[in-house]
Amino acid sequence: MSTSSGCGCHETVSPSQEQVDRFPWREFGLLGVAIAWFGVGLVLSVRELLPLWGEWLWFIPAYLWVGWGVLTTAGQRVLKGKALDENFLMAIATIGAIAIGELPEALAVMLFYRLGEAIQDLAVDRSRDSIRALLAIRPDLANLKTAAGFEPVPPESVAVGAEILVKPGERVPLDGKVLSGESYLDTSALTGESVPRSVQPGEEVLAGSINQTGALTVRITRPFGESSLVRILELVEQARQQKAPTEKFISRFARRYTPIVVALAVAIALIPPLFGGSLTQWGYRALVLLVISCPCSLVVSIPLGYFGGIGGAAKQGILLKGSVFLDRLTDVSTVVFDKTGTLTEGSFEVTQVQANPPWDEDTLLHYSAIAESQSTHPIAQSIGRAWTGPLDSHRLQTVQEYPGRGVRATLTNSKVCDIYIGNERLFQELGLAPLPKSPNPGTRVRVAFDGQDAGTLEVSDRLRDDAPQAIQALRDRGIQRIVMLTGDSQQVGQAVGDRLGLDEVYSELLPEDKATLLEKWLREPRRPGAVIFVGDGINDAPALALADVGVAMGGLGSDAAIETADVVLMEDSPAKLVQAIAISHRTRAIVWQNIILSLAVKLLVIILGTLGLAGLWEAIIADVGVALVAVANATRAAKG
């Protein structure tokens, strides 16, 4: 039997620790032998077949064998001046029982305490399954393309720009872009999304996803240490470093609770005999108090509940950087969203083409696509995607940029020589009359051919499919204020806000403006709850850092946003925020169920024991029972 120190109450539940993924048969087998030994001795004792010296020879060796770890740990902590913990409670209670001649009860207390401890440890180990599943997605090899063919190498040794082969059934070892091949990827371990994602040449693949159907040649875009997979593992491993307020409360409670219990037990044992009570009777009642007062059910189940909540969220593609943020999500009054890439897809498309005679729509779109063909601006790229015919980009001779306004492109061998494409500010500089305001919510791009107004292109950013449902779900959860911040124009921002039914919309903001607004809301007196900020870009990093809970859209979000945020949604879906809040409420409910259950049962048995209506048997059954019920309840949080 293991002689490790006492109760597993103070064990740090860390997914980085090595775990033996098998049932502890030896531990439970030895406990089974001890229980059988105790049962035989109890029968012999009840039938008075054991004399007093026989009871000592039968029960005391078994007691020492079962409880040696608890006794030695208690002794070591006494020598260090840190005596008052659960090991001390069990040691003093059982030694006291031996002193008053209750040998079977002394062994029973220690035996069932150790059995409860073993079952608790097993429950803690099982609660790590979701974290083990994450750790299991770490690939061991990458098929690196070399002059001699493809060579299996450790992913850590593959440089950015190298090419690897990912065969069907293999995990993608590093982040990269597909060079050749088409396939479906299972990204459930990263995003919680069960539907396979189709990938083609030019599209990104993330480390940790499983290639299902076709072979892919991938060019590496990030070293292994910066890949999405490693980032996930680091976030999960660090998540336990920040304790939730409830978890800290229980730790402080246990440290102060034990001395009070010991003092109360001493008072019960000594004061009544001063007024004529039996020293043996009141000493026995004091021992009952010590047994039932062990805080294991609280100290084990509370951290286990939060750890289960973090693991359950990770299964759903929601990464929390600490249980403190899981706790804060239960008390939210304001949710602040960035617009582009968060509530909208950040993928622009041309929704309307309006040409002025003598030009037609195809001509307007074709020449606009040529003029913007060298730009990396999202709006410029959307114009290029809108033209599906031959581009004839060889006609493009020169491009002159007007920062924040547009471009001028000069073409050759064409009916049109100069193309101006940009916003109203650029066209006012050209001396062209301003256009009336458009009723449409998109961005309007004007086009001029050789100084003449040729027409306009309407470019819009699509709402995410689940954005309206996510906003409504937040309303249903009682969120008092939902706000959107954007750098877009007031017209575009307000149109999105109206479609989603948001409370407030702030437009034409710079990154520092977003941070200033966050600071203002955080400093509001009598603020009813936490302020959440949800963003995805590097420009959102200051606001993410300031918010009570910063939430990054991690699927396509920038590295700066993900590193700064407290919660990372691995799928770019606002609905994941609602799911994270639901998990936090579920976890908090489970934690408080355990607190109330543990304290209520302990208080009841303490009262009954003090009145002489409960003995050591009832105390140990209640103590072990409530601990096991609390631990079993805490493991529900891991279901997500």
Side-chain angles (χ1 to χ4, degrees):
M1 180 175 297
S2 170
T3 59
S4 61
S5 62
C7 171
C9 295
H10 296 303
E11 179 184 12
T12 300
V13 183
S14 171
S16 62
Q17 292 174 312
E18 292 186 3
Q19 301 295 329
V20 180
D21 193 13
R22 59 180 175 83
F23 188 83
W25 293 107
R26 181 176 180 274
E27 178 78 10
F28 280 90
L30 292 173
L31 283 171
V33 171
I35 291 172
W37 183 272
F38 166 74
V40 172
L42 184 62
V43 172
L44 294 175
S45 180
V46 169
R47 294 187 177 182
E48 299 182 350
L49 298 177
L50 282 177
L52 181 59
W53 60 268
E55 286 192 355
W56 277 82
L57 290 177
W58 188 274
F59 290 109
I60 295 304
Y63 167 81
L64 293 174
W65 183 51
V66 171
W68 187 253
V70 175
L71 296 172
T72 54
T73 300
Q76 291 168 0
R77 293 184 68 83
V78 167
L79 295 176
K80 294 178 180 178
K82 300 178 180 179
L84 300 180
D85 65 355
E86 65 281 349
N87 297 293
F88 179 81
L89 290 179
M90 288 298 102
I92 197 69
T94 54
I95 292 172
I98 293 171
I100 62 175
E102 300 290 347
L103 303 182
E105 292 191 5
L107 175 57
V109 169
M110 190 63 75
L111 179 60
F112 288 105
Y113 173 73
R114 288 300 306 273
L115 178 62
E117 172 194 298
I119 295 175
Q120 290 169 19
D121 288 344
L122 181 63
V124 170
D125 187 61
R126 290 291 182 263
S127 76
R128 295 171 179 146
D129 286 347
S130 60
I131 303 303
R132 285 201 195 97
L134 278 176
L135 297 177
I137 69 176
R138 182 185 178 111
D140 296 323
L141 295 172
N143 298 312
L144 177 65
K145 184 178 181 180
T146 65
F150 289 97
E151 177 185 351
V153 299
E156 296 89 340
S157 66
V158 179
V160 173
E163 297 179 18
I164 63 170
L165 176 67
V166 184
K167 302 174 184 176
E170 292 183 342
R171 288 194 183 275
V172 178
L174 300 106
D175 293 355
K177 278 193 175 182
V178 177
L179 292 179
S180 64
E182 297 182 4
S183 184
Y184 284 90
L185 297 182
D186 176 1
T187 62
S188 58
L190 302 175
T191 66
E193 176 57 54
S194 59
V195 178
R197 182 171 71 91
S198 172
V199 291
Q200 299 176 344
E203 295 186 328
E204 289 191 359
V205 295
L206 299 179
S209 52
I210 300 174
N211 184 19
Q212 292 188 323
T213 54
L216 298 174
T217 303
V218 177
R219 173 172 285 129
I220 305 307
T221 56
R222 287 193 187 98
F224 183 76
E226 298 176 11
S227 67
S228 56
L229 172 61
V230 171
R231 191 162 59 220
I232 291 173
L233 299 182
E234 288 176 348
L235 291 179
V236 173
E237 290 180 351
Q238 293 168 2
R240 287 286 302 175
Q241 294 178 2
Q242 298 195 60
K243 291 186 176 182
T246 308
E247 197 173 345
K248 292 180 180 179
F249 161 74
I250 292 302
S251 300
R252 294 195 302 269
F253 171 81
R255 287 196 299 269
R256 297 174 183 175
Y257 164 84
T258 306
I260 293 173
V261 165
V262 172
L264 184 59
V266 171
I268 290 174
L270 299 181
I271 294 176
L274 296 177
F275 298 93
S278 167
L279 180 62
T280 301
Q281 180 187 50
W282 286 99
Y284 184 84
R285 294 180 182 182
L287 298 178
V288 172
L289 172 62
L290 290 175
V291 171
I292 191 58
S293 298
C294 178
C296 276
S297 57
L298 292 174
V299 181
V300 171
S301 66
I302 304 315
L304 180 59
Y306 280 108
F307 185 70
I310 291 173
K315 286 182 180 178
Q316 305 300 323
I318 302 165
L319 304 181
L320 296 113
K321 296 185 181 179
S323 54
V324 63
F325 304 115
L326 189 66
D327 218 52
R328 284 182 191 169
L329 285 173
T330 63
D331 183 30
V332 177
S333 63
T334 302
V335 178
V336 183
F337 286 99
D338 172 54
K339 181 183 78 71
T340 304
T342 304
L343 292 175
T344 64
E345 294 183 355
S347 176
F348 292 91
E349 62 179 2
V350 176
T351 55
Q352 185 177 6
V353 180
Q354 184 175 358
N356 298 331
W359 297 283
D360 56 36
E361 294 178 358
D362 283 348
T363 301
L364 183 69
L365 186 58
H366 184 195
Y367 283 116
S368 298
I370 295 174
E372 296 281 25
S373 61
Q374 294 184 359
S375 175
T376 59
H377 192 281
I379 290 179
Q381 292 181 335
S382 72
I383 295 172
R385 289 192 300 269
W387 175 251
T388 57
L391 187 58
D392 298 334
S393 57
H394 61 277
R395 298 183 183 182
L396 186 62
Q397 185 175 15
T398 60
V399 177
Q400 180 181 356
E401 290 195 21
Y402 299 89
R405 291 166 290 170
V407 299
R408 172 191 176 186
T410 301
L411 307 186
T412 59
N413 301 321
S414 160
K415 295 179 180 178
V416 176
C417 292
D418 288 328
I419 301 174
Y420 288 89
I421 181 166
N423 57 26
E424 282 287 358
R425 289 174 56 194
L426 176 62
F427 278 66
Q428 288 176 13
E429 294 173 7
L430 295 175
L432 297 177
L435 296 178
K437 288 189 175 181
S438 170
N440 299 323
T443 299
R444 186 161 54 179
V445 179
R446 296 188 66 178
V447 184
F449 293 159
D450 290 330
Q452 299 182 37
D453 192 352
T456 58
L457 306 174
E458 291 280 353
V459 180
S460 299
D461 185 7
R462 295 190 299 268
L463 280 180
R464 292 197 180 278
D465 293 338
D466 63 344
Q469 293 84 354
I471 298 300
Q472 184 57 50
L474 291 173
R475 298 278 187 211
D476 295 341
R477 286 205 160 268
I479 304 300
Q480 300 175 15
R481 180 166 63 170
I482 303 178
V483 182
M484 186 183 76
L485 309 182
T486 179
D488 261 336
S489 67
Q490 193 275 335
Q491 181 183 2
V492 172
Q494 194 59 53
V496 173
D498 291 342
R499 290 178 64 185
L500 294 175
L502 304 181
D503 297 311
E504 302 169 38
V505 175
Y506 295 84
S507 304
E508 301 179 8
L509 300 176
L510 297 173
E512 53 267 31
D513 298 328
K514 295 180 182 180
T516 300
L517 284 171
L518 256 294
E519 283 185 301
K520 172 187 172 184
W521 293 325
L522 290 168
R523 290 175 180 172
E524 286 180 349
R526 299 178 183 177
R527 181 159 52 96
V531 176
I532 291 179
F533 181 81
V534 189
D536 75 313
I538 190 170
N539 62 320
D540 296 324
L544 287 168
L546 280 170
D548 291 323
V549 182
V551 181
M553 307 284 273
L556 296 176
S558 74
D559 288 344
I562 293 171
E563 291 299 322
T564 307
D566 307 309
V567 180
V568 179
L569 309 179
M570 292 309 297
E571 183 181 353
D572 288 322
S573 167
K576 286 290 184 182
L577 173 63
V578 182
Q579 194 173 11
I581 293 175
I583 290 172
S584 71
H585 280 279
R586 173 185 170 86
T587 303
R588 168 73 76 86
I590 289 171
V591 165
W592 277 103
Q593 287 167 11
N594 285 340
I595 292 174
I596 294 170
L597 171 69
S598 299
L599 294 180
V601 172
K602 287 180 182 297
L603 180 61
L604 176 62
V605 178
I606 286 172
I607 293 173
L608 293 177
T610 304
L611 296 175
L613 301 177
L616 281 176
W617 284 103
E618 291 84 356
I620 188 60
I621 291 172
D623 179 56
V624 174
V626 75
L628 296 183
V629 170
V631 169
N633 190 39
T635 58
R636 293 193 301 121
K639 297 179 182 179

